[in-house]
Amino acid sequence: MSTPGAALLTRRPLTGGGGSGAKGLAMQLLLAVVSSGYAVGAALGWGSEELAEVMGDFGLSAAGLLAAVSCFTYARAIDSRERPAWLLFAFSSLMGCCGNAVWGWYEVVLGEAVPKPSLADFAFLCFAPPAIVGLLVLAKRPVTRAGWVCLGLDSWLIGGSLLTLSWSLALAHAARTAQSGAPGSVPRAALSLAYPLLDIALVSMVLVLHFRRSETNRSAVNTAIAALALTVLSDALFTSPLLSAEYQSGQLLDAGWFAGSLLLAYAPWGARRLHPGPGPEPVAHVRAERPHSRPITGSLPALTPYLAAAVCTLGILYNVVDGRKVDRVVVFTGCTVVLALVIRQGIMLLDNIALTQELAQKENHFRSLVQGSSDVIMIAAPTGTLRYVSPAAAGVYGREAEELVGTELATLIHPEDLGRVVHEVRRFLAAPPAEEPTTRIECRFRSGGGEWLNVESTVNRHQGGLILNSRDVTERVRLQAQLQHSAEHDPLTDLPNRALFTRRVRQALTGRRAGDHSTAVLFIDLDGFKAVNDTIGHQAGDELLIEAARRLQDSVRAGDTAARLGGDEFAALILGDGSRDRSAREYQVHEIADRLRTTLSQPYRIAGSEVRVAASIGVAFADPGITPSDLMRNADLAMYRAKAGGKDRVEMYAPQMQAEVVRKAELAGRLRTALHEGEFALLHQPVVSLASGEISAVVAQARWRSAQGILFTPAEFLRVAEYSGGGAGEGGSTPRTVVPDASRTAELGRWLLEEAVGQAAERHRAGHDVPVAVRMTAQRLLDRSMPLGSVEALLTRNGLPSGALVLELAVSDPRVPFDDLERRLAALRRLGVLIALDGFGSGYAAISALRRLPVDMLKLDRGLVEGVVESPRLHKITAGLLRIANDLGMQSVAEGVDLPEQVMALRAMGCTHGQGMAFSGPLDEYRLRRALVRGTFPVPGGAAQPALAGGSPGGSMVIHRGSHNETPVPPA
């Protein structure tokens, strides 16, 4: 065996640990202390005969009442098939409580002996039947008729064998007493027989349930079984000839009944776990991970019939050895047990024959699947040598299967990937199979032509070796590389975008340069860029941004990073040189920043004319312990200070700028006041089919209503406040630092969702069956303050079908836990809620979301739509993204479609829906219903004008995109 082959399958042990809950342990200790205290008191006689009678009667009655109340309360709290069982346990415990109370009435209150028979005997006889039926409810129900027959046979095998043994030992004597004809002997003998017979039936159900119990709430069921078993054991001792004649209340035997009642009261709550969400959840059953059963434990159900027959045989032998005449009851019961055993074994034999035939059919079926699969299935021996390769290898790898058999797997893997593959295989083989049955490996694999193919393999264990299910994913890897580049780079300038820039800042602060505090971040904003867009057009603005990006890229060093953050915002990461002289380093970086300012402020030659813009630059240094977000925030604050100080200048960050954070907190408080005082209104913007003009959905949008009746978007509200403070940027860029805290954002998002669903339900009842779309961030969706059941409850409360709700998911942070988000979205989709991926094409997080998350439709980022006509580069990128959506079978929605030319371009590229001023602006409820009655909008073609802009009855609504002006929409 070669060294790579040996390394590939070498195992390394892993260790693990565990713990237990303190609350459950405390309850168990309390149960043990109370039961032990009762047992000690009974053993010592309670100090007096009167106290012994009280504790032996009313003490047992109180314990039974506690068990009844506990089981009844638990039954009311749950909503499952177990509820009838716990109600029956409650009734059974109540009967035991009543029986002991009757005993206490005679012995303690009246001071008389308990007559036989009495009401206590009736109550005690009613204890076992409800418990038996409850155990049957808890048992795992057979799925076939033969299974029901086997369940009945198993019950009789256990019950009949116990009846044979009990009859031989004690019950025959009670039956002979009844036949003697003595006065009162018949009722007493009937009671003597009823108690053990019911106990035998209860024991049979306990044993059957032990091997057939349901998987749900196993801890509670096991505890209930133990409680009933303890009660049956005490009953058996009580009815035995040795103790029945000498029994008095308060003796040690009562401790068994007392402990059984307490254990039954503890059973439903001992393993209870509350739901993790904030809402009230009555009970959540916990399915614990159980270790693998040992062979002897798994064989106990199969040995049960033989053990039952052995017990039955012991009962017959007892009569024979004792010299007695074999009783007819014993003979009849023994014969029926033997007959049941024969029938049981016959059913098992037929089942084995059927299973053997089914196994042969499945083997042939799987062989056909393996031979005909398009994936390559390979089996590697423990030595690392391939022992089997499916015929699909010829089409995937360009090599015949026979040629690969006998080859060492390690020699076919690219040398650069071999170490990673070996590490993953070692880790996988060392992990417990129950925790990790499979793993997935991606590597490069040598093909028959000599080139390297990207192969994805699902790996399983197989007799110490491996089973690999492999497929060629070369084209997918190439597409992912292209998408990753698009996700990490600005589509216009091809500079790193905000996500990649943030990651590189993080690497500079946490990598080998973590101790170098001379690293600096520069935030750059172009002054006067908005005027360029307004005067000579967006195409000229794009050309200016491209030229500015080129100048910025040429001005930084090879190891530094220049990035475009969006709009006219740029940034630069200047890595430190290890200098410890802070003042000298600040002077050096200031010179670099000033040189960048001068370079970016040089005239630009655009469309045959000379264009001038200036640059405002903020600089922040990586102080000890600073985080990437804080460093970028500091640079952003310094840039704002540069703009406020007159623009076209460089400003170094100073701690005094943190006073701006206090002003932002006041701004967030104003937002909260506006929300609580009902100053927010809800508008809807139609989503229109680009093919037919039909309204396919409406998008809910929140607006803040000022005292003058003018509506602002939340972003505009923050932007207005920012501008009034003298720190706004130009060019329509989004405010970088004014973000309300998470609680305010969550409160606004909750209001938006509730209002949108409520108004959509009203429209649905009015006959307008148009889905409503609500934008929601991934962080908001994963917030514990919004549990999964709240969406379903909201839809149910308003009577809105789940298919009429579309959640527009915004994933802007690549650090979002996609595993949790995927589970959350899958649960929502099971409810019928549709999922749209918002901002597609704007960052790496959106691409990762498409790859990982269950999505129904894609919503193109507004930045792509705005330049799709003027910029050939954006046109190609948008066309590629739409092609991906069409290939995945998803609908596509373009946001910000404001011009007829954009409609025609997007429709030609395969976009299915559009949202924007080319059709309609945001509408209040009255105008929305008018539009829904009309049903369609004109689809722009040629020189067609926008169909509807919303606004006042006499004119269209005017939207100032990228400005800080208020949006003049009349109050709804």
Side-chain angles (χ1 to χ4, degrees):
M1 178 177 177
S2 65
T3 302
L8 188 63
L9 296 178
T10 301
R11 298 173 180 257
R12 289 182 180 177
L14 296 178
T15 58
S20 60
K23 184 177 179 180
L25 182 59
M27 292 180 65
Q28 294 171 8
L29 289 175
L30 178 61
L31 178 65
V33 169
V34 174
S35 300
S36 301
Y38 189 95
V40 171
L44 298 178
W46 298 105
S48 68
E49 184 177 352
E50 292 77 9
L51 181 58
E53 290 180 349
V54 170
M55 294 302 297
D57 296 332
F58 292 115
L60 294 182
S61 180
L65 181 61
L66 177 63
V69 172
S70 175
C71 293
F72 180 76
T73 304
Y74 180 74
R76 292 194 59 186
I78 64 175
D79 186 13
S80 67
R81 62 176 293 264
E82 296 181 13
R83 173 181 287 181
W86 292 103
L87 289 175
L88 289 169
F89 291 157
F91 180 75
S92 177
S93 299
L94 183 61
M95 290 296 98
C97 168
C98 294
N100 284 295
V102 172
W103 272 63
W105 174 260
Y106 280 105
E107 289 188 340
V108 177
V109 178
L110 301 180
E112 301 176 359
V114 181
K116 291 187 179 182
S118 66
L119 291 177
D121 296 315
F122 173 78
F124 289 142
L125 288 176
C126 291
F127 172 83
I132 293 172
V133 178
L135 291 175
L136 287 174
V137 173
L138 290 178
K140 184 187 297 183
R141 298 177 180 176
V143 296
T144 62
R145 185 178 302 174
W148 284 104
V149 174
C150 289
L151 177 61
L153 292 175
D154 289 344
S155 301
W156 175 244
L157 283 171
I158 298 173
S161 60
L162 293 177
L163 177 59
T164 303
L165 186 60
S166 301
W167 190 271
S168 301
L169 293 176
L171 299 185
H173 175 74
R176 287 193 294 268
T177 301
Q179 294 175 358
S180 64
S185 60
V186 174
R188 293 191 184 93
L191 286 176
S192 301
L193 291 174
Y195 284 128
L197 290 178
L198 289 175
D199 286 340
I200 288 173
L202 188 56
V203 169
S204 301
M205 291 301 100
V206 168
L207 293 177
V208 169
L209 179 59
H210 176 70
F211 298 122
R212 293 178 176 269
R213 58 190 182 273
S214 175
E215 292 293 331
T216 58
N217 207 6
R218 179 179 287 269
S219 298
V221 174
N222 286 342
T223 308
I225 292 174
L228 294 175
L230 184 58
T231 303
V232 169
L233 178 61
S234 300
D235 286 346
L237 294 174
F238 172 74
T239 55
S240 65
L242 296 177
L243 295 180
S244 59
E246 302 296 333
Y247 171 78
Q248 291 182 354
S249 297
Q251 291 183 348
L252 186 60
L253 181 60
D254 291 344
W257 287 312
F258 183 80
S261 297
L262 290 187
L263 198 59
L264 186 59
Y266 164 79
W269 313 100
R272 187 183 183 213
R273 184 180 67 184
L274 295 179
H275 194 273
E281 183 72 17
V283 173
H285 296 300
V286 181
R287 180 178 297 177
E289 294 186 1
R290 293 175 288 113
H292 294 291
S293 299
R294 296 182 179 178
I296 187 172
T297 305
S299 62
L300 283 178
L303 294 177
T304 301
Y306 303 102
L307 294 175
V311 173
C312 182
T313 304
L314 287 176
I316 299 175
L317 290 177
Y318 175 80
N319 285 272
V320 174
V321 172
D322 200 29
R324 302 179 186 177
K325 181 181 178 181
V326 178
D327 194 284
R328 287 176 296 175
V329 175
V330 175
V331 174
F332 175 77
T333 307
C335 291
T336 55
V337 168
V338 173
L339 179 60
L341 179 60
V342 172
I343 297 175
R344 182 71 169 82
Q345 295 306 105
I347 294 175
M348 292 180 61
L349 179 60
L350 293 176
D351 285 344
N352 290 337
I353 295 174
L355 288 175
T356 302
Q357 294 175 350
E358 184 181 354
L359 181 61
Q361 292 176 357
K362 288 184 177 180
E363 184 178 353
N364 293 332
H365 176 68
F366 287 126
R367 183 181 294 108
S368 301
L369 288 177
V370 171
Q371 296 293 336
S373 174
S374 59
D375 293 347
V376 181
I377 299 175
M378 301 181 293
I379 299 178
T383 59
T385 304
L386 294 177
R387 294 305 185 196
Y388 173 80
V389 180
S390 66
V396 177
Y397 299 147
R399 304 177 68 173
E400 295 296 332
E402 293 79 6
E403 178 185 350
L404 290 174
V405 173
T407 306
E408 291 186 359
L409 181 60
T411 61
L412 302 174
I413 300 174
H414 195 284
E416 295 179 1
D417 299 339
L418 183 58
R420 175 173 52 84
V421 173
V422 168
H423 174 76
E424 174 61 20
V425 170
R426 283 177 173 173
R427 185 202 61 78
F428 170 66
L429 292 177
E435 296 179 3
E436 190 173 6
T438 64
T439 188
R440 189 172 61 180
I441 295 176
E442 253 189 65
C443 64
R444 285 168 287 180
F445 202 86
R446 187 190 300 276
S447 68
E451 66 272 11
W452 295 100
L453 302 176
N454 293 96
V455 175
E456 180 185 69
S457 301
T458 302
V459 184
N460 295 269
R461 300 172 180 84
H462 175 68
Q463 298 178 359
L466 300 173
I467 296 180
L468 299 97
N469 191 346
S470 306
R471 62 199 62 87
D472 183 8
V473 293
T474 303
E475 290 302 321
R476 191 196 72 186
V477 171
R478 291 174 182 170
L479 177 61
Q480 284 180 344
Q482 295 175 0
L483 292 176
Q484 176 128 9
H485 181 83
S486 300
E488 293 181 339
H489 291 77
D490 176 60
L492 180 64
T493 63
D494 205 38
L495 286 179
N497 59 13
R498 183 183 294 271
L500 181 56
F501 183 76
T502 303
R503 187 160 66 251
R504 291 189 178 176
V505 171
R506 183 179 298 107
Q507 292 172 354
L509 297 182
T510 59
R512 60 185 179 86
R513 296 178 178 269
D516 188 355
H517 305 306
S518 60
T519 296
V521 169
L522 281 61
F523 264 45
I524 306 164
D525 189 87
L526 300 182
D527 304 319
F529 175 74
K530 180 179 180 297
V532 175
N533 280 337
D534 294 341
T535 54
I536 60 179
H538 289 277
Q539 180 66 34
D542 289 345
E543 294 180 12
L544 188 149
L545 291 175
I546 293 173
E547 175 62 21
R550 185 191 62 77
R551 294 183 185 182
L552 179 61
Q553 182 68 51
D554 294 341
S555 300
V556 298
R557 300 173 301 178
D560 298 334
T561 299
R564 183 193 178 203
L565 305 182
D568 59 346
E569 304 169 15
F570 295 87
L573 173 63
I574 309 299
L575 297 178
D577 58 0
S579 174
R580 296 185 178 274
D581 189 344
R582 180 62 179 265
S583 59
R585 180 58 177 168
E586 288 183 356
Y587 179 79
Q588 181 184 6
V589 173
H590 192 281
E591 282 192 336
I592 295 174
D594 196 62
R595 186 168 64 251
L596 284 176
R597 181 193 61 80
T598 303
T599 301
L600 294 174
S601 300
Q602 294 295 323
Y604 295 83
R605 195 73 181 175
I606 306 295
S609 60
E610 190 176 273
V611 178
R612 289 181 178 271
V613 295
S616 296
I617 302 177
V619 182
F621 283 92
D623 294 327
I626 196 169
T627 63
S629 59
D630 289 342
L631 178 59
M632 296 174 64
R633 181 204 61 193
N634 293 345
D636 200 15
L637 290 174
M639 188 272 293
Y640 272 121
R641 180 61 61 87
K643 295 180 74 67
K647 304 181 181 180
D648 192 18
R649 55 179 293 170
V650 176
E651 189 76 32
M652 308 292 288
Y653 170 78
Q656 294 81 358
M657 298 178 185
Q658 284 294 339
E660 187 74 11
V661 178
V662 177
R663 189 181 63 81
K664 295 169 193 173
E666 296 174 354
L667 193 62
R670 184 180 174 192
L671 175 62
R672 178 186 180 185
T673 302
L675 184 62
H676 284 181
E677 294 182 358
E679 298 179 7
F680 274 85
L682 191 65
L683 301 182
H684 293 84
Q685 188 171 25
V687 177
V688 180
S689 171
L690 299 184
S692 62
E694 294 182 356
I695 301 176
S696 59
V698 294
V699 179
Q701 299 177 355
R703 294 293 185 269
W704 174 67
R705 189 192 311 277
S706 68
Q708 295 77 23
I710 300 177
L711 300 180
F712 296 86
T713 66
E716 286 173 331
F717 168 57
L718 298 177
R719 196 180 299 125
V720 169
E722 180 68 16
Y723 181 74
S724 65
E730 297 189 42
S733 59
T734 310
R736 311 169 186 79
T737 55
V738 182
V739 179
D741 60 72
S743 62
R744 307 295 178 264
T745 305
E747 193 173 2
L748 179 60
R750 188 182 306 112
W751 174 88
L752 175 62
L753 180 61
E754 292 177 354
E755 285 292 316
V757 171
Q759 293 188 17
E762 293 179 1
R763 291 193 297 272
H764 183 77
R765 287 188 287 270
H768 302 298
D769 300 334
V770 178
V772 62
V774 181
R775 188 176 186 273
M776 186 173 295
T777 63
Q779 291 84 353
R780 167 67 182 139
L781 193 61
L782 294 176
D783 189 357
R784 288 185 176 271
S785 65
M786 180 187 173
L788 177 61
S790 62
V791 176
E792 182 180 13
L794 182 62
L795 294 172
T796 303
R797 185 169 65 249
N798 290 276
L800 182 66
S802 57
L805 176 62
V806 181
L807 290 184
E808 293 184 352
L809 181 67
V811 186
S812 59
D813 191 346
R815 297 169 296 180
V816 170
F818 279 101
D819 292 337
D820 298 341
L821 186 59
E822 182 179 4
R823 288 191 294 269
R824 192 65 180 275
L825 292 180
L828 287 173
R829 290 187 75 200
R830 285 194 295 269
L831 297 178
V833 178
L834 300 177
I835 306 299
L837 183 59
D838 191 26
F840 184 64
S842 62
Y844 171 76
I847 301 298
S848 300
L850 177 63
R851 180 169 59 92
R852 296 282 304 277
L853 303 179
V855 177
D856 299 295
M857 59 188 72
L858 299 179
K859 195 164 187 180
L860 289 178
D861 183 69
R862 177 184 292 270
L864 296 176
V865 177
E866 289 178 347
V868 72
V869 178
E870 296 87 356
S871 173
R873 180 188 294 269
L874 287 180
H875 188 281
K876 292 181 180 180
I877 293 173
T878 305
L881 296 177
L882 289 173
R883 190 161 50 250
I884 293 174
N886 292 333
D887 291 343
L888 294 177
M890 298 180 182
Q891 294 183 355
S892 52
V893 181
E895 183 181 9
V897 183
D898 298 336
L899 302 174
E901 295 82 359
Q902 295 173 346
V903 175
M904 292 183 289
L906 291 168
R907 184 172 54 192
M909 286 186 284
C911 185
T912 59
H913 296 80
Q915 170 193 345
M917 297 301 300
F919 303 103
S920 171
L923 305 175
D924 58 24
E925 187 66 20
Y926 173 74
R927 293 177 176 82
L928 174 62
R929 295 207 179 191
R930 287 178 53 191
L932 292 177
V933 171
R934 186 169 63 249
T936 60
F937 288 95
V939 179
Q945 298 300 317
L948 178 65
S952 62
S956 61
M957 181 179 69
V958 180
I959 295 293
H960 301 281
R961 292 180 295 132
S963 70
H964 309 305
N965 298 328
E966 298 177 345
T967 306
V969 180

